[in-house]
Amino acid sequence: MMKRAIAVSLLVGSACLCSCADQPVYRDPEAPVERRVEDLLARMTLEEKVMQVTQWTYGKNMNVNNVEQEMKAVSPMIGSLLYRSTSAAFYNQVQRKAIEESRLGIPILCGFDVIHGYRTIFPIPLGQACAWDVEKTGESCRIAARESRLSGVHWTFSPMVDVARDARWGRVSEGYGEDPYLNGVMGVAAVRGYQGDDLSKSDAMAACLKHFVGYAYSEGGRDYHYTEISPQSLWETALPPFEMGVKAGAATVMSAFNDISGIPASANRYTMTEILRDRWGFDGFVVSDWNAVEQLKAQGVAADDAEACLKALTAGLDMDMVDDVYRRSLPGLIADGTLPEEVLDEAVRRILRLKFRMGLFEHPYVEELPDSVRYLRPEARAVARELAAESMVLLKNKEAVLPVRGEVKRIALLGPMADNRVDLMGSWWGQGVADDVVTILEGLRAEFAGKAEIVSCAGCGFDGDDRSQFARARALARQSDLVVLCMGEKRNWSGENASRASLALPAIQEEFIREMARTGRPTVVLLSSGRPVDVRGFESEVDALMAIWQPGTEGGNAVAQLLSGKVNPSGRLAITFPLCAEQQPVYYNRRQAARPRSGRYQNLPHDPMYPFGYGLSYTTFSYGTLRLERTTLHRGERLAAEIEVTNDGTCDGKETVLWYVSDPVASISRPMRELRHFEKQSIPAGESRVFRFEIDPERDLSFPDATGERHLENGTFVLEVNGRRVEFELI
Ligand code: NOJ
């Protein structure tokens, strides 16, 4: 089977080369992409065009044993396929059908949700954001792209750059936290990682910025719900990461499910055409989210499929994901003159452009290689381990109970996550396989071999009220020098359609933690979750607490290296941990209240549990004076700032310096402070490093109004780093 597919692919390649003299322009790899697009478009029938703007999916859990049956259903003319298969043979068969059985031989663009890895699973994006390691996020996407392309997948529906400030919303796990700039920087790293510098390379994959736009504002954190977004918030908070991603060259954008103040995102001409195309110059295509065109009926802006189709396509939504509304409605709309065919042509043009840019006409097939060559290569596992370790945030470490000291000879490893593979992968685990995952138990046993014995049992489930194993767990705890409790959320408690009203762990887990802590043994809680957790029910009773998120394939090894001290924790929160859900919204970059010290809840403290940017280390860093090269600047000039950070503890560590700017008085009130730059550096014990930020007034001091126009106003600004503040004037 494998040999045959490769042979066919070579044959097709050479057939193409031989017929150069009379081949149509669109088949000429030397011709400019735009000429190829126009040539092909001019040859297409209405049906062929309609099929190009259509994406289909077939079933789930496809495997090579039923390829034949599934294949029959795939139309050779389909524009795109969203499928769950790692079989390169399957994808080759699909492509062969398109190339050989369709009139024009247009390859199919195969997409899949590769959100934090394909087979090698990296930490969830929220965890990656807490690592503040832009380069490693890029590397993880590069690896994901390679593993995907070797399986026949060309296109990922990632990165998600929805700025998420309500931890009840399950999809906080899929984005990069509550700050627009951080989402933008990580989104750009992901786009560049997936796409590389040339989309036609065999290990590059097209990225998709999603969800355009405002999905994270779903009322009450309920997924798919209405969003009330002011034009000011749209421009200031929701749009900036998309703009950064588009300018970095993202090939595609996904329209969101939400209804933005009455105009659904998937029928929104203002966002998809006026902003995305006209203002930002985006020349890729927009794909709908799953069923989003059909859902325009539920959202009350379309009476039937035809109207939904008309509204979505004319608003700028090019490809219809799986609901088949475009395919069924377009011929009629064009035949009766309701929709000019040029509108459809433009959508087709954008889709073809990507197929040409990706070199799919020249290389539609993929070499069929064994899994050992495609997946989980040592360098992929190394990046997964390093990124996971950097993503974990040490939230409490009373009397330096961590790292584990030499006198600890037995560790009781308890809780539902202790020996768990599946949930460590988190939501959207791509083609991750549980057997690949290193559990926390395995990681600790390997790391502490010869130094400490690890005794383990779950002791308690994720939820329910079964206390039958408490006694056994208590006995193990009592016989040990240290108790490590692995608690948290199942993977499907966050992600899509996974909203939760309370951020607390189920009562049984809180009770278990308290019971184990009351054995009197030093107690560490490892918290695995896809969102911030309300930790009030146990935090004061335990000695150490670390957010490990859903760390992926190498999660257990990463945890073990942090516990042993081989790696020093360096994660910082990319999202605020509220005290509880009722305290929200409580994001750091809110605006000042009219009476800053009044108006607070009478029955809840004002400050969050752990603020944005919070995170402890095993060493201590001291910050020197925050220096500005001068205290005034003019437009067009730059202003350099620097600060020296010293590692004055006893172990090496990494420190991320966060640079904030605030504009205390402006024509539109500004957030109290806004992140404008960050940098992470390694600092060996006893050494210092200088961190720098060059302020560019147009980029860092201006702000958008409700129409998106940017304003740069003279006056006093404040630069802030780790509590140190200096003022400067723009004159
Ligand atoms: C729905 C999700 O909202 C979106 O993020 C995902 O990419 C698509 N389904 C495709 O699976």
Side-chain angles (χ1 to χ4, degrees), residues 55 82 112-113 115 157-158 160 171 174 210-211 215 223-224 254 257 288-290 321 428 496:
Q55 180 183 66
L82 193 176
F112 185 57
D113 286 287
I115 307 299
F157 306 119
S158 165
M160 179 183 117
R171 305 201 80 167
E174 297 172 42
K210 71 185 189 188
H211 305 83
Y215 184 26
D223 209 1
Y224 313 125
M254 183 184 291
F257 287 132
S288 75
D289 202 342
W290 186 285
M321 182 184 281
W428 296 112
E496 188 180 348

Side-chain angles (χ1 to χ4, degrees), residues 128-135 137 176 179-187 189 244 572 612 655-660 675-681 691-693 721:
Q128 292 188 33
C130 295
W132 301 83
D133 190 330
V134 181
E135 214 171 293
T137 282
Y176 302 109
D179 180 74
Y181 175 72
L182 179 56
N183 268 278
V185 172
M186 289 297 175
M244 289 168 76
R572 282 167 167 259
F612 177 84
E655 177 70 341
T656 304
V657 169
L658 309 182
W659 298 82
Y660 297 97
L675 184 72
R676 286 287 181 241
H677 179 60
F678 63 86
E679 186 191 356
K680 187 170 194 173
Q681 289 195 42
F691 290 74
R692 296 193 170 80
F693 172 34
V721 175

Side-chain angles (χ1 to χ4, degrees), residues 316-477:
L317 203 168
D318 305 304
M319 183 183 279
D320 181 7
M321 182 184 281
V322 311
D323 59 27
D324 215 25
V325 169
Y326 277 14
R327 192 183 63 87
R328 286 185 279 107
S329 313
L330 280 170
L333 287 169
I334 289 172
D336 69 14
T338 311
L339 181 78
E341 193 167 340
E342 295 75 58
V343 179
L344 172 61
D345 285 353
E346 185 50 30
V348 175
R349 195 174 272 128
R350 291 174 188 140
I351 293 162
L352 294 178
R353 187 178 289 142
L354 179 62
K355 293 184 179 186
F356 284 117
R357 281 183 181 162
M358 293 196 78
L360 298 185
F361 285 80
E362 287 70 48
H363 304 288
Y365 305 113
V366 59
E367 201 178 343
E368 294 167 25
L369 297 167
D371 285 7
S372 58
V373 177
R374 296 192 287 173
Y375 307 138
L376 295 158
R377 296 202 306 189
E379 58 273 28
R381 278 197 176 268
V383 172
R385 187 166 55 251
E386 289 160 16
L387 191 49
E390 288 201 59
S391 73
M392 297 177 184
V393 186
L394 184 62
L395 298 169
K396 179 176 182 181
N397 195 17
K398 199 168 112 197
E399 288 165 22
V401 66
L402 291 177
V404 175
R405 297 177 191 147
E407 58 267 29
V408 171
K409 296 297 174 205
R410 185 181 291 140
I411 300 173
L413 189 73
L414 310 170
M417 290 298 296
D419 195 17
N420 181 315
R421 294 178 203 283
V422 164
D423 295 291
L424 279 191
M425 288 194 283
S427 63
W428 296 112
W429 56 95
Q431 297 287 3
V433 171
D435 283 347
D436 300 336
V437 176
V438 179
T439 66
I440 299 176
L441 177 60
E442 288 167 343
L444 257 66
R445 288 218 161 118
E447 183 71 20
F448 288 93
K451 295 180 202 134
E453 183 193 0
I454 315 293
V455 292
S456 182
C457 76
C460 147
F462 281 100
D463 48 12
D465 56 7
D466 181 2
R467 291 172 181 74
S468 60
Q469 296 300 309
F470 273 33
R472 181 160 174 243
R474 198 179 298 113
L476 290 182

